[in-house]
Amino acid sequence: SKDAVDSAQTESAEIDVLFASHPGGLDQEQFKPFASTVCGFPSFFAQALFEKLAQPGQAVVARAKCTQWWETNIKHKRPEVRLFHFLREPSNQFVTRADWKKRLACLLDTHPGLDFLKATPEFQDRYLECVVERIYYVNNRACNDKMTQHDISLSNLVRVLKYVDEENDINKVLDYFSYEHFYVLYCKFWELDGDH
């Protein structure tokens, strides 16, 4: 469609601008516009995408790697398909709970509504587990550990992740991410788990 072509041209021009300023490659800070402006991901996914594209031991991601990943996984694709390709491991045609946890871990470090959790790593882990389980409970139609592109396409995940990125109060994000919802669930399970 014309919108997809226009979008691809805009994204390609943005890649040109980014690498005109940084011809040697993008470091983690310079990489954020590639993740958000070019790929359309929430800002908290920038670090995870950087780690996914960076060569081991390299402090920058080269233009060729960014362009190749964009052309394969982003160009002319809907936001849900882009999210699927970002989350999954290259060898899989599905997304696992471990994939979600790995990609969402950056949220714990960057979201202002979760700053208070930094002092309690055990609660960070439980919160992240709860978020992922809530995502799977609602969206994994086969009830297994393999969320498909179709599952993500039928979900509200792109909209909710965008809202998480825009909203400083995590408790206002009622789908999946509310810390208050997590805490109620945690306390109920703690009561049921007699020997803890």
Side-chain angles (χ1 to χ4, degrees), residues 12 38 41 56 70 76 91 95 122 124 133 137 160 178-179 192:
S12 180
V38 175
F41 295 135
W70 172 74
H76 300 306
S91 58
V95 178
E122 67 279 0
Q124 284 185 330
E133 288 307 316
Y137 181 78
V160 172
S178 168
Y179 183 82
L192 293 171

Side-chain angles (χ1 to χ4, degrees), residues 127 169-171 174 177-185:
Y127 170 76
D169 184 353
I170 199 74
N171 293 313
L174 301 180
F177 289 92
S178 168
Y179 183 82
E180 289 173 350
H181 288 184
F182 153 74
Y183 194 72
V184 169
L185 288 167

Side-chain angles (χ1 to χ4, degrees), residues 78 80-81 84 141 148-156:
R78 293 178 298 114
E80 294 80 8
V81 176
F84 173 76
R141 282 152 184 77
T148 64
Q149 181 176 316
H150 184 68
D151 289 335
I152 292 175
S153 291
L154 293 176
S155 76
N156 66 349

Side-chain angles (χ1 to χ4, degrees), residues 84-102:
F84 173 76
H85 288 301
F86 164 67
L87 292 168
R88 73 181 176 88
E89 290 299 320
S91 58
N92 293 339
Q93 288 304 311
F94 53 83
V95 178
T96 66
R97 286 172 171 85
D99 296 332
W100 274 104
K101 287 178 187 173
K102 187 187 328 179

Side-chain angles (χ1 to χ4, degrees), residues 27-42:
D27 66 22
Q28 275 197 335
E29 193 61 35
Q30 298 155 350
F31 187 82
K32 289 177 182 176
F34 177 78
S36 57
T37 306
V38 175
C39 298
F41 295 135

Side-chain angles (χ1 to χ4, degrees), residues 46-162:
Q47 180 182 337
L49 183 58
F50 180 88
E51 290 167 4
K52 187 172 185 153
L53 298 185
Q55 298 296 323
Q58 295 291 319
V60 297
V61 177
R63 179 182 182 135
K65 186 70 173 177
C66 288
T67 303
Q68 182 228 357
W69 199 83
W70 172 74
E71 287 177 350
T72 305
N73 301 294
I74 301 296
K75 187 177 180 183
H76 300 306
K77 293 188 171 56
R78 293 178 298 114
E80 294 80 8
V81 176
R82 292 174 178 210
L83 178 63
F84 173 76
H85 288 301
F86 164 67
L87 292 168
R88 73 181 176 88
E89 290 299 320
S91 58
N92 293 339
Q93 288 304 311
F94 53 83
V95 178
T96 66
R97 286 172 171 85
D99 296 332
W100 274 104
K101 287 178 187 173
K102 187 187 328 179
R103 307 295 184 241
L104 285 174
C106 298
L107 177 69
L108 297 169
D109 295 330
T110 59
H111 198 283
L114 296 171
D115 277 344
F116 67 96
L117 274 179
K118 289 180 180 172
T120 54
E122 67 279 0
F123 267 92
Q124 284 185 330
D125 293 343
R126 298 295 82 77
Y127 170 76
L128 195 54
E129 285 174 9
C130 186
V131 167
V132 171
E133 288 307 316
R134 291 180 74 190
I135 288 170
Y136 267 78
Y137 181 78
V138 173
N139 300 296
N140 182 221
R141 282 152 184 77
C143 297
N144 58 16
D145 190 38
K146 297 178 180 178
M147 188 175 288
T148 64
Q149 181 176 316
H150 184 68
D151 289 335
I152 292 175
S153 291
L154 293 176
S155 76
N156 66 349
L157 288 163
V158 169
R159 181 182 55 78
V160 172
L161 290 167
K162 185 176 188 313

